Amino acid sequence: MGEKVKLFVTWSSPFSLRVIWALRLKGIEYDIVHEDLSNKSSVLVHNDQVICESLVILEYVDETWKHNTLLPEDPYERATARFWARFGDDKVLASIVYGVFVKQGKEQEEGIVASLENLKHLEEELKGKKFFGGKKIGLVDLALGWLAYYLGIFEEIMGLKLVDQQKFPSLAAWIHEFADHPVIRDAWPPRDKLVAKFIAMRETHLSKDGHN
Amino acid sequence: MGEKVKLFVTWSSPFSLRVIWALRLKGIEYDIVHEDLSNKSSVLVHNDQVICESLVILEYVDETWKHNTLLPEDPYERATARFWARFGDDKVLASIVYGVFVKQGKEQEEGIVASLENLKHLEEELKGKKFFGGKKIGLVDLALGWLAYYLGIFEEIMGLKLVDQQKFPSLAAWIHEFADHPVIRDAWPPRDKLVAKFIAMRETHLSKDGHN
């Protein structure tokens, strides 16, 4: 093949993981370069072409290596998948990380209401399916994959539960299915290192907002 | 064809305009329903299928009606276009609207620095091209199209210039080319109504942040 695929990632980044998972699902060999940047953007270099932004990279990977598709073929189903992938970043991740995890008191309470509302939409979308992609992992699963590992870490650090079995049965089941999938489960960063990192991140934010 | 295309838009929304432009570029007939919601999301209904979010809708339109393409064919060029479209929303629009337009004083000064930095990247990307899409309007042009009309309105209201001919020759030329394109120029909302709306929006934000 003579193809060169190189991935620049931050060890703790859930965005980087999306690309690692996509390449693993496709069975593409790659070199990985760890860079501990606070910069969120992952970078894929494929035969000297540079592609940035994890969701953009996922589509590139899917269009370049067409087996084991991440997106369905039908334009409407593709649009739906793209919508949920963006919803995951713009609403779910934003509300949980910036509305709950780095907040406290009344602000956090409001953030929890918004987060649960967003998670309810995911629960509805997932109902009756094993993965967001249906029977197999697709682009939306990769986009939301952080929920299957990082959310539990956030919950543990804060001492509160957002996704419980009773209110979110489909999402709770998906978290187990996804986190334990053979392609996914070996790629998670060390949990203790993530816990330490996110405790520090939370404290930095809370001390900055100390006047609230 | 017997196809039903219906578009729900907010009259003042630059996001809605993207979809209107895309359908006009493709020559697709549509019914338009005006809804004056503060909700930013545009909605396309095509044969009873509902698609939300303007950039997602643009890709749907491009995949459904394949003539007059909005995205190039090559996966790398497609990824590049998707990157700039998102950069336009996440960086350019965010820094100009939320960092400059609804701010004042020191906060606004910092916002201006960030906005000019983001605009510089667009200037570089555009250099030597008529449109971001090359010789013809493409997805990135539609995503950034608000710059060609709304930016001037923001500048007028604030009494300051972000994109001038000297610092941003390519972008300034693009603003004229895009705004005057036959498919684009008839679709802009009435300028005086937009000015009134954005003056009110700015005042609401500034009075809320009055303590800064």
Side-chain angles (χ1 to χ4, degrees), chain B residues 75-172:
Chain B
Y76 174 66
E77 288 176 32
R78 293 167 73 83
T80 306
R82 289 183 180 122
F83 174 83
W84 287 114
R86 285 291 161 190
F87 182 83
D89 278 1
D90 298 346
K91 304 288 179 182
V92 183
L93 189 142
S95 63
I96 291 177
V97 175
Y98 302 110
V100 179
F101 185 63
V102 301
K103 298 287 179 191
Q104 53 193 352
K106 189 161 164 281
E107 276 191 315
Q108 190 186 51
E109 281 165 37
E110 289 168 6
I112 290 173
V113 173
S115 293
L116 293 176
E117 190 68 35
N118 291 330
L119 288 165
K120 269 282 167 217
H121 290 295
L122 296 187
E123 176 70 17
E124 284 301 312
E125 174 61 16
L126 196 54
K127 201 161 274 178
K129 293 192 290 190
K130 185 171 174 184
F131 295 112
F132 288 95
K135 284 179 188 144
K136 64 187 186 68
I137 287 178
L139 182 114
V140 182
D141 296 281
L142 301 188
L144 291 169
W146 62 276
L147 276 175
Y149 194 73
Y150 290 68
L151 179 65
I153 291 172
F154 298 156
E155 289 176 333
E156 178 186 310
I157 293 171
M158 294 187 293
L160 64 84
K161 194 95 181 141
L162 288 171
V163 172
D164 66 37
Q165 178 71 38
Q166 275 189 311
K167 269 190 272 181
F168 297 100
S170 309
L171 211 45

Side-chain angles (χ1 to χ4, degrees), chain B:
Chain B
M1 306 280 281
E3 287 201 297
K4 279 190 206 146
V5 181
K6 198 169 198 171
L7 190 54
F8 294 81
V9 302
T10 304
W11 71 270
S12 57
S13 165
F15 305 102
S16 300
L17 278 175
R18 293 170 176 171
V19 185
I20 291 172
W21 294 329
L23 293 170
R24 289 173 65 122
L25 281 169
K26 299 265 184 187
I28 308 301
E29 302 224 351
Y30 58 93
D31 290 323
I32 196 157
V33 181
H34 284 273
E35 299 198 286
D36 203 351
L37 303 167
S38 57
N39 185 341
K40 273 189 297 189
S41 185
S42 318
V43 177
L44 179 80
V45 183
H46 178 214
N47 297 338
D48 299 326
Q49 291 185 314
V50 179
I51 305 111
C52 302
E53 282 290 313
S54 63
L55 293 182
V56 172
I57 297 173
L58 292 190
E59 296 229 27
Y60 175 81
V61 167
D62 209 33
E63 290 178 351
T64 301
W65 297 283
K66 295 181 193 294
H67 59 286
N68 299 354
T69 50
L70 302 177
L71 278 174
E73 259 193 67
D74 175 69
Y76 174 66
E77 288 176 32
R78 293 167 73 83
T80 306
R82 289 183 180 122
F83 174 83
W84 287 114
R86 285 291 161 190
F87 182 83
D89 278 1
D90 298 346
K91 304 288 179 182
V92 183
L93 189 142
S95 63
I96 291 177
V97 175
Y98 302 110
V100 179
F101 185 63
V102 301
K103 298 287 179 191
Q104 53 193 352
K106 189 161 164 281
E107 276 191 315
Q108 190 186 51
E109 281 165 37
E110 289 168 6
I112 290 173
V113 173
S115 293
L116 293 176
E117 190 68 35
N118 291 330
L119 288 165
K120 269 282 167 217
H121 290 295
L122 296 187
E123 176 70 17
E124 284 301 312
E125 174 61 16
L126 196 54
K127 201 161 274 178
K129 293 192 290 190
K130 185 171 174 184
F131 295 112
F132 288 95
K135 284 179 188 144
K136 64 187 186 68
I137 287 178
L139 182 114
V140 182
D141 296 281
L142 301 188
L144 291 169
W146 62 276
L147 276 175
Y149 194 73
Y150 290 68
L151 179 65
I153 291 172
F154 298 156
E155 289 176 333
E156 178 186 310
I157 293 171
M158 294 187 293
L160 64 84
K161 194 95 181 141
L162 288 171
V163 172
D164 66 37
Q165 178 71 38
Q166 275 189 311
K167 269 190 272 181
F168 297 100
S170 309
L171 211 45
W174 172 84
I175 283 175
H176 285 290
E177 288 286 356
F178 185 82
D180 276 350
H181 187 283
V183 164
I184 306 297
R185 67 178 168 223
D186 301 330
W188 297 117
R191 199 174 192 283
D192 53 342
K193 276 183 73 186
L194 281 182
V195 170
K197 183 199 155 89
F198 285 114
I199 286 176
M201 175 190 154
R202 184 163 191 247
E203 279 169 4
T204 305
H205 273 87
L206 290 181
S207 67
K208 262 196 291 191
D209 291 347
H211 57 281
N212 288 324

Side-chain angles (χ1 to χ4, degrees), chain A residues 75-96:
Chain A
Y76 174 67
E77 287 176 31
R78 292 167 75 83
T80 305
R82 288 183 180 121
F83 174 84
W84 287 113
R86 286 291 161 188
F87 182 83
D89 278 2
D90 298 346
K91 304 289 179 181
V92 183
L93 189 141
S95 63
I96 291 177

Side-chain angles (χ1 to χ4, degrees), chain A:
Chain A
M1 308 278 279
E3 286 201 297
K4 278 187 207 150
V5 181
K6 199 169 198 171
L7 189 54
F8 294 81
V9 302
T10 304
W11 71 270
S12 58
S13 166
F15 304 102
S16 299
L17 278 176
R18 293 170 176 171
V19 185
I20 292 171
W21 294 330
L23 293 170
R24 288 174 66 123
L25 281 169
K26 299 264 184 188
I28 308 301
E29 302 225 349
Y30 58 93
D31 289 325
I32 196 157
V33 181
H34 284 274
E35 300 197 286
D36 203 350
L37 304 167
S38 56
N39 185 340
K40 274 189 296 187
S41 186
S42 318
V43 177
L44 179 80
V45 183
H46 178 215
N47 296 338
D48 299 326
Q49 291 185 313
V50 179
I51 305 110
C52 302
E53 282 291 313
S54 63
L55 294 183
V56 171
I57 298 173
L58 292 190
E59 295 229 28
Y60 175 81
V61 167
D62 209 33
E63 291 179 351
T64 301
W65 297 283
K66 295 182 193 294
H67 59 287
N68 299 353
T69 51
L70 302 176
L71 278 173
E73 260 193 67
D74 175 69
Y76 174 67
E77 287 176 31
R78 292 167 75 83
T80 305
R82 288 183 180 121
F83 174 84
W84 287 113
R86 286 291 161 188
F87 182 83
D89 278 2
D90 298 346
K91 304 289 179 181
V92 183
L93 189 141
S95 63
I96 291 177
V97 175
Y98 302 109
V100 179
F101 185 62
V102 301
K103 298 288 179 192
Q104 54 193 350
K106 189 162 163 281
E107 277 192 314
Q108 190 186 52
E109 280 165 40
E110 288 168 7
I112 290 172
V113 173
S115 293
L116 293 177
E117 190 68 34
N118 291 330
L119 288 165
K120 269 284 169 216
H121 289 295
L122 296 187
E123 177 70 17
E124 284 302 312
E125 173 61 16
L126 195 54
K127 200 162 277 178
K129 294 193 291 190
K130 183 172 175 184
F131 295 111
F132 288 94
K135 284 181 187 144
K136 64 189 186 67
I137 287 178
L139 183 115
V140 182
D141 297 282
L142 302 188
L144 291 169
W146 64 276
L147 276 175
Y149 195 73
Y150 291 68
L151 179 65
I153 291 172
F154 299 156
E155 288 176 334
E156 178 185 310
I157 293 171
M158 295 187 293
L160 64 84
K161 195 95 181 143
L162 288 171
V163 172
D164 67 36
Q165 179 70 38
Q166 274 188 312
K167 268 190 273 182
F168 298 99
S170 308
L171 211 44
W174 172 85
I175 284 175
H176 286 290
E177 287 287 353
F178 184 83
D180 276 350
H181 187 283
V183 165
I184 307 297
R185 67 176 168 226
D186 302 331
W188 297 116
R191 199 174 193 282
D192 53 343
K193 276 183 74 185
L194 281 182
V195 170
K197 182 198 155 89
F198 285 112
I199 286 176
M201 174 189 154
R202 183 162 192 248
E203 280 168 3
T204 305
H205 274 87
L206 290 181
S207 66
K208 262 196 290 189
D209 291 345
H211 57 282
N212 289 324

